[in-house]
Amino acid sequence: MDISGSMAVGDNMARARTAVAMLTGAFQPTDEAALFTFDSKLRQVASFTSSIETIRQASLEGRPWGVTSLFDSIKETAELVAERSNKHRALLVITDGVDTVSKLTPTEVSGIAASVQVPVYLLSVVTPTDHAGEELAAETEKRRAESATLADLARWTGGDMRMVSRPEHTQQAVQDLMTELRYQYVISFEPGSRPGWHPIEVRLRKKNMFAHTRGGYVAGPSRSGSR
């Protein structure tokens, strides 16, 4: 959850905390989650637990302040999530989508997240005037570019991005997310031998169904010389 200074604008912090409450409300007894917050750096405010109330209370900590290290925080959290033994896992990032000081680019972050097999879902909390397609929207070119960058990052990892400005948007996004996470599958295949980037595309026979998958994988030696 983003707690940088920009989240103080237009009740975005309240929208973020509402999202956490709705998400934990959809938990089942066997579900497990942790809560991290970030501004210029990442902090773990609740370790992995099945206690809904622990996560809810932890989300109330901290006030919006400081600059935003969004992409770096996604990279750090994805690596921590990847250490968990449960293969049904994901990283949900609740943010207004503004990054100011990250050292990593979105492409680098998505590559890292995909390599550790953690799909990244982005919930972009915005004011109604920043919500594309809504009646009051007055979206700028800069905002459109930021949203497109975040959407690409999520899809490259096999995740997705939603923009929310009202509780009903958040409720639908949380419902869709939890449905997807209940139906995660692992598909094994033999990788190509040609060095470089190999795209992955999964097609379904039923036209009313869809699948989120990683954008692809890199074959060949890494920079360190290992595979």
Side-chain angles (χ1 to χ4, degrees), residues 150-169:
L150 290 172
D152 284 343
L153 188 158
R155 289 166 190 152
W156 287 332
T157 67
D160 198 6
M161 174 181 166
R162 294 293 182 90
M163 189 173 288
V164 300
S165 58
R166 299 200 304 266
E168 54 266 37
H169 299 150

Side-chain angles (χ1 to χ4, degrees), residues 11-167:
D11 291 331
N12 281 342
M13 197 71 241
R15 292 184 179 93
R17 286 172 171 148
T18 295
V20 173
M22 289 183 178
L23 184 72
T24 53
F27 277 8
Q28 295 181 0
T30 55
D31 291 335
E32 185 181 61
L35 181 67
F36 298 81
T37 61
F38 65 91
D39 44 30
S40 61
K41 62 181 180 180
L42 184 71
R43 302 174 184 84
Q44 184 175 26
V45 293
S47 57
F48 282 91
T49 178
S50 296
S51 170
I52 293 173
E53 194 56 33
T54 297
I55 300 296
R56 278 184 184 158
Q57 290 300 317
S59 72
L60 301 177
E61 296 180 15
R63 294 183 178 181
W65 176 258
V67 294
T68 315
S69 182
L70 173 58
F71 301 134
D72 291 355
S73 296
I74 291 175
K75 177 256 186 186
E76 286 186 57
T77 314
E79 291 177 337
L80 291 170
V81 174
E83 295 174 358
R84 308 296 297 176
S85 58
N86 191 343
K87 298 303 180 183
H88 284 242
R89 59 198 181 193
L91 170 59
L92 173 63
V93 184
I94 306 172
T95 177
D96 61 359
V98 178
D99 185 287
T100 56
V101 296
S102 283
K103 296 178 181 178
L104 295 172
T105 66
T107 302
E108 290 171 330
V109 172
S110 61
I112 293 167
S115 70
V116 295
Q117 301 179 28
V118 176
V120 176
Y121 289 83
L122 283 147
L123 196 64
S124 180
V125 291
V126 297
T127 63
T129 56
D130 285 328
H131 193 160
E134 289 296 296
E135 183 179 354
L136 301 176
E139 198 179 25
T140 64
E141 186 65 33
K142 180 175 182 293
R143 187 68 184 183
R144 281 194 292 270
E146 290 171 342
S147 296
T149 297
L150 290 172
D152 284 343
L153 188 158
R155 289 166 190 152
W156 287 332
T157 67
D160 198 6
M161 174 181 166
R162 294 293 182 90
M163 189 173 288
V164 300
S165 58
R166 299 200 304 266

